[in-house]
Amino acid sequence: MTTGCILQIALLLCFSITALSRSFNLLQFQQRSTNLECQRLMMKLSGTPESCLNNRTNFEVPKEIEQPRQFQKEDAVLVIHDMLLQIFEIFGKNLSHTGWNETIIENLRSELSDQIDRLKAILDENTEEENPTWENSTTMLWHLRNYYTRIVQYLNAKSYSSCAWTVVWTEIYRNFSFISTLTDYLQN
Amino acid sequence: MKMVLSQNASAIRPLNLYPWVYISLVFGASLALPDKACTFKVALQNFQTIFSWELKNHSIVPTHYTLWYTIMSKYEDMKIVEDCTNITRLFCDLTGLWDNMPETYIPRVVGFKGNTVLVSCIDSVFLPMNMTLEPPDFEIVGSADHINVIVKFPSRAPKTIDVERLQHHFYLIIEQRSEEMVKKHKPRINGNITGDFIYVMDKLIPNTNYCVSIYFEPKNLGTITKSPLKCALLPGQEPESSESAKIGGIITAFLIATVFISSVVTLKRTGYLCLRLDLPSALNFSNRPTRIFLELPPLEAVDTVEVIYVSRKKKVWDYNYDESDSEEEATPTTSAGGYTRHGLILQPLTQASTSSPDSEESQFTDPDVDEPDLPEDEAEPLLVPGPRAEQSEPASGPCERRASPLQDPFSKKDSSATEGSEDRIIFNVNLNSVFVQALDDDGDVSPMLPEETVDLEDPSEMESSFLIAREDGMPPPFPSPSEECLGSEDASSEESDTSESDADIRDGYIMR
């Protein structure tokens, strides 16, 4: 009887670990697909950065995002989720001066929203577990929020002009490159 | 890429050329830009960032070029590339300058003819998307079961290549092709590399042709440029390796068997699998020879006897008690309502006569010839040929035979015997169809009840047969062979029960 229970518990643990690892692998695959699709959509938005050199500014990307070092996959999920959420909100701002195709913008936001939901589901599963690097993640998220706040403030300061959006567009495009790097940490 | 052509070149003295270009670069972006006259390309060749350009208007042929660049992530002035100033080639090595992959670079190329600016092109280059990742040079060395892939890094790199940083943005893929199978290897390169990088593809099949291609796979949008295939035919396997393979196979088989047995034992102990070793006795065949199933069922034992007919007949059962025995003897036929018993003396035949395996009939012989003085009790007839008693065998053969030889012996008494004298008749009888009383020394009579069958499919006929027998006092005539053959075992059993009510058992005889 005891042996049977131990065997069942072992099988349950094995299946749970396998399912969890499979969920992260699937999430990584989905995140890569989202990155490529978002970059593809952004390339359809016309922009001439070389004509807006005077509008350039330094948004000061957090160093831990620009040059990530040894991320835990749970932290990577948290950071990617927050970055996608901020990008989603930025592209919901005033785009009237850009002349960009609204359909492309909607598709971009839809793609972002779907992946945000997937990441949120993984975050909810891991909420109950204690994360030893949670304090570092909180600091990182604070830096990240400030970074995106600066972008929004820049747009406000430039009255959502076309060149301001072009500068932000190049910055957001960089963000997807950072997210691609962070996606590598989702692997088990 | 989007290019900007600034064809405001004019005859300007060389001393005033560079300040004018600088001013043009700084403020040119905000000006209305003419059509693009240049095509910019950036490629990663042997981990070196090579920026190249080409003029669309081939009529303009500058003698030398100067490269400037800036970035979009922060406000910076245009910077001149020292190694790419007044160069005659159409490319520039920007390794170490353009090493920030997620950056958007803004290059500007100015073409001069003498001191005159002929062309100035500006565009934006987003490295993760616009950089072409050209495959590095490599060599392969095939061995018995592995291939060494030597990836050649630039031997004289001006700066150490931060490959680990580059790997954040693309993978180094070593593609292995064997016939229709394609396998991708993603070697992880740690640290900076200045020499060759060797990657071993092991566990290959000997005597097989393998082709290898190397390329970089971008993690972001970008194009893949694969290198030409380099193939190597691995040498055949040596005998030693075959022996090792055999040993490995044996060990593998042993491990598989061990895992299987342990799994079965585990499952049995945990109750998931029930195996019974104590089989029921009905399923125990260990003490029984298998040939028992091959033996045919034993045939019905048939003994061949010689029956001697006794001329004296005795009325066995009669309702008329006034008649004397002498009358009975004088009248061989029985009176109505009684059976006549024939005294027969059984004598075993010779061995030769009994050797016939197909003999199911006995020979009846007149007892007066051999033993005329037998006492009455001893000469009691052993045979009372039943009228329907010969139906023990359902087969058609015996049925046909019974039609002629098994006649009432009385009918043959006066007629000439088939064999012997008048007092002696030899006939064949199936012992299964007659009552036989064995003559013992003690005078005990042990009747032997034959099997009786009747056609129950026609109950009226059966009943009429009994009625005829009662009226005539004689056994009813034999039914036709066809009727006899219709009998079955069930019918015979039922008829036996029925006949018992009509039969009178006296002195071991059954009278019907």
Side-chain angles (χ1 to χ4, degrees):
Chain A
M1 182 65 181
T2 306
T3 309
C5 292
I6 292 173
L7 181 62
Q8 290 179 356
I9 291 170
L11 290 173
L12 185 62
L13 284 175
C14 183
F15 291 149
S16 301
I17 293 171
T18 304
L20 196 60
S21 63
R22 284 181 181 274
S23 67
F24 272 99
N25 290 335
L26 177 62
L27 183 68
Q28 186 187 41
F29 172 77
Q30 292 169 340
Q31 185 59 52
R32 290 199 187 285
S33 301
T34 300
N35 292 341
L36 292 176
E37 183 61 25
C38 289
Q39 290 179 10
R40 197 171 291 115
L41 290 170
M42 286 191 67
M43 287 304 298
K44 294 179 181 178
L45 303 174
S46 61
T48 52
E50 64 274 9
S51 62
C52 300
L53 294 178
N54 290 333
N55 293 280
R56 292 174 295 171
T57 186
N58 188 0
F59 295 109
E60 297 179 2
V61 181
K63 288 295 180 184
E64 52 267 44
I65 301 299
E66 191 174 14
Q67 297 177 356
R69 301 289 180 186
Q70 297 301 322
F71 261 87
Q72 297 290 330
K73 58 175 178 288
E74 293 82 4
D75 296 337
V77 171
L78 189 63
V79 171
I80 293 172
H81 172 265
D82 198 70
M83 292 178 73
L84 295 183
L85 187 62
Q86 298 296 331
I87 293 171
F88 175 83
E89 292 180 355
I90 287 174
F91 277 100
K93 303 292 183 182
N94 184 4
L95 295 167
S96 58
H97 300 291
T98 60
W100 291 340
N101 190 336
E102 293 182 359
T103 304
I104 296 174
I105 298 297
E106 288 301 318
N107 291 338
L108 177 63
R109 297 191 73 198
S110 175
E111 189 74 26
L112 291 169
S113 177
D114 292 343
Q115 186 60 21
I116 286 169
D117 292 341
R118 298 187 195 105
L119 294 167
K120 183 69 165 51
I122 297 295
L123 286 174
D124 292 340
E125 290 179 4
N126 298 327
T127 300
E128 297 178 356
E129 299 177 4
E130 291 186 1
N131 190 348
T133 60
W134 192 258
E135 187 176 355
N136 296 333
S137 300
T138 306
T139 305
M140 192 187 315
L141 286 180
W142 187 75
H143 292 160
L144 208 55
R145 298 283 173 84
N146 290 337
Y147 166 71
Y148 287 107
T149 300
R150 288 192 288 271
I151 292 176
V152 174
Q153 290 175 348
Y154 168 82
L155 286 172
N156 284 325
K158 296 290 182 178
S159 302
Y160 298 97
S161 65
S162 176
C163 269
W165 270 114
T166 300
V167 173
V168 172
W169 178 86
T170 57
E171 190 70 18
I172 298 299
Y173 208 102
R174 290 180 70 203
N175 276 228
F176 282 109
S177 182
F178 299 145
I179 292 172
S180 293
T181 303
L182 292 172
T183 304
D184 291 342
Y185 295 99
L186 296 179
Q187 195 171 14
N188 292 285
Chain B
M1 293 184 193
K2 295 172 283 293
M3 289 157 291
V4 178
L5 175 62
S6 178
Q7 294 181 344
N8 53 358
S10 59
I12 303 175
R13 294 180 180 181
L15 294 176
N16 301 327
L17 179 63
Y18 293 122
W20 185 88
V21 171
Y22 176 77
I23 295 170
S24 173
L25 289 174
V26 171
F27 298 101
S30 59
L31 300 175
L33 301 175
D35 294 336
K36 300 173 183 176
C38 300
T39 302
F40 289 162
K41 290 183 181 178
V42 60
L44 186 69
Q45 298 176 352
N46 280 339
F47 298 98
Q48 291 178 298
T49 305
I50 305 298
F51 178 77
S52 61
W53 57 89
E54 183 182 357
L55 299 179
K56 290 184 179 179
N57 188 358
H58 296 285
S59 62
I60 303 174
V61 183
T63 56
H64 55 276
Y65 301 92
T66 300
L67 177 63
W68 306 68
Y69 80 95
T70 186
I71 58 176
M72 281 295 294
S73 60
K74 59 185 178 182
Y75 192 91
E76 286 184 350
D77 295 335
M78 281 284 185
K79 293 184 292 188
I80 190 169
V81 182
E82 298 294 337
D83 296 335
C84 300
T85 303
N86 294 328
I87 57 175
T88 58
R89 60 182 185 272
L90 299 179
F91 65 91
C92 181
D93 187 359
L94 297 178
T95 304
L97 296 178
W98 288 14
D99 57 352
N100 188 10
M101 287 293 292
E103 184 60 78
T104 299
Y105 291 93
I106 309 295
R108 172 176 283 267
V109 176
V110 179
F112 300 92
K113 188 172 185 180
N115 294 329
T116 306
V117 177
L118 295 181
V119 62
S120 178
C121 303
I122 187 171
D123 204 347
S124 60
V125 175
F126 185 60
L127 287 185
M129 186 180 62
N130 299 126
M131 179 180 276
T132 301
L133 305 175
E134 294 188 4
D137 292 335
F138 70 101
E139 291 180 358
I140 58 173
V141 178
S143 298
D145 59 347
H146 66 276
I147 291 178
N148 292 332
V149 181
I150 304 170
V151 182
K152 292 185 173 299
F153 285 81
S155 58
R156 291 184 179 181
K159 296 179 182 178
T160 51
I161 302 170
D162 192 355
V163 181
E164 190 171 1
R165 188 175 180 183
L166 292 176
Q167 288 181 133
H168 288 160
H169 307 283
F170 52 79
Y171 301 107
L172 175 62
I173 303 295
I174 300 177
E175 190 174 273
Q176 163 194 326
R177 290 177 176 268
S178 174
E179 296 177 352
E180 298 298 328
M181 295 179 62
V182 178
K183 184 178 180 181
K184 289 184 178 180
H185 301 264
K186 291 183 178 180
R188 184 71 184 177
I189 303 174
N190 298 320
N192 297 327
I193 292 180
T194 55
D196 294 341
F197 171 73
I198 299 176
Y199 180 77
V200 179
M201 296 191 303
D202 55 356
K203 299 177 181 178
L204 304 180
I205 302 173
N207 199 20
T208 305
N209 188 30
Y210 286 92
C211 295
V212 178
S213 176
I214 294 182
Y215 57 91
F216 292 110
E217 184 179 272
K219 297 180 182 179
N220 301 286
L221 284 180
T223 56
I224 295 176
T225 305
K226 294 184 179 181
S227 70
L229 291 174
K230 291 186 177 180
C231 300
L233 178 63
L234 298 185
Q237 197 171 16
E238 297 178 356
E240 294 179 355
S241 58
S242 63
E243 293 179 358
S244 62
K246 290 180 180 178
I247 295 173
I250 293 172
I251 293 173
T252 304
F254 176 74
L255 290 176
I256 291 172
T258 305
V259 170
F260 177 75
I261 293 172
S262 61
S263 301
V264 170
V265 170
T266 304
L267 291 173
K268 187 176 182 303
R269 288 189 175 183
T270 53
Y272 286 99
L273 182 64
C274 294
L275 293 176
R276 290 196 62 182
L277 298 177
D278 49 341
L279 295 172
S281 59
L283 298 177
N284 187 8
F285 300 101
S286 59
N287 296 329
R288 296 182 184 179
T290 55
R291 60 182 177 85
I292 191 171
F293 298 103
L294 301 176
E295 291 181 350
L296 296 173
L299 297 174
E300 184 178 3
V302 177
D303 294 331
T304 302
V305 298
E306 181 181 2
V307 180
I308 301 173
Y309 174 71
V310 179
S311 60
R312 290 173 297 177
K313 305 298 185 296
K314 182 180 179 180
K315 183 178 180 183
V316 177
W317 183 82
D318 193 358
Y319 293 105
N320 187 4
Y321 296 99
D322 294 339
E323 295 181 359
S324 62
D325 294 338
S326 60
E327 293 177 351
E328 296 174 357
E329 294 175 357
T331 304
T333 57
T334 58
S335 60
Y339 281 90
T340 300
R341 182 169 57 186
H342 298 264
L344 300 175
I345 296 175
L346 277 67
Q347 179 180 351
L349 296 176
T350 58
Q351 187 65 27
S353 62
T354 60
S355 61
S356 175
D358 297 333
S359 175
E360 294 181 356
E361 300 171 345
S362 301
Q363 290 182 341
F364 285 72
T365 306
D366 191 350
D368 292 341
V369 176
D370 295 337
E371 296 180 5
D373 295 332
L374 286 174
E376 183 177 355
D377 294 339
E378 295 178 355
E380 286 285 327
L382 300 178
L383 174 62
V384 176
R388 298 179 299 272
E390 63 276 9
Q391 303 178 15
S392 60
E393 296 180 7
S396 60
C399 294
E400 293 176 355
R401 285 198 303 269
R402 271 184 242 125
S404 59
L406 292 182
Q407 298 293 331
D408 191 358
F410 292 124
S411 62
K412 293 184 179 180
K413 187 188 73 171
D414 297 334
S415 62
S416 59
T418 58
E419 183 179 354
S421 61
E422 293 180 351
D423 296 337
R424 182 180 181 130
I425 184 170
I426 298 174
F427 59 94
N428 296 329
V429 63
N430 190 347
L431 292 180
N432 291 329
S433 60
V434 299
F435 296 107
V436 177
Q437 180 182 19
L439 297 177
D440 298 336
D441 294 339
D442 299 336
D444 295 338
V445 177
S446 59
M448 184 173 65
L449 300 177
E451 292 182 15
E452 289 184 351
T453 59
V454 69
D455 186 7
L456 292 179
E457 294 181 1
D458 191 0
S460 60
E461 182 182 351
M462 181 181 67
E463 186 177 357
S464 61
S465 301
F466 282 113
L467 292 174
I468 294 171
R470 284 176 181 275
E471 291 175 355
D472 298 340
M474 290 289 291
F478 294 112
S480 62
S482 62
E483 292 176 345
E484 293 174 7
C485 294
L486 294 174
S488 62
E489 293 181 1
D490 296 338
S492 65
S493 62
E494 292 181 4
E495 191 206 7
S496 299
D497 297 339
T498 306
S499 1
E500 283 180 3
S501 60
D502 297 334
D504 185 11
I505 300 175
R506 185 177 298 173
D507 294 334
Y509 292 94
I510 298 174
M511 182 181 68
R512 301 178 187 276

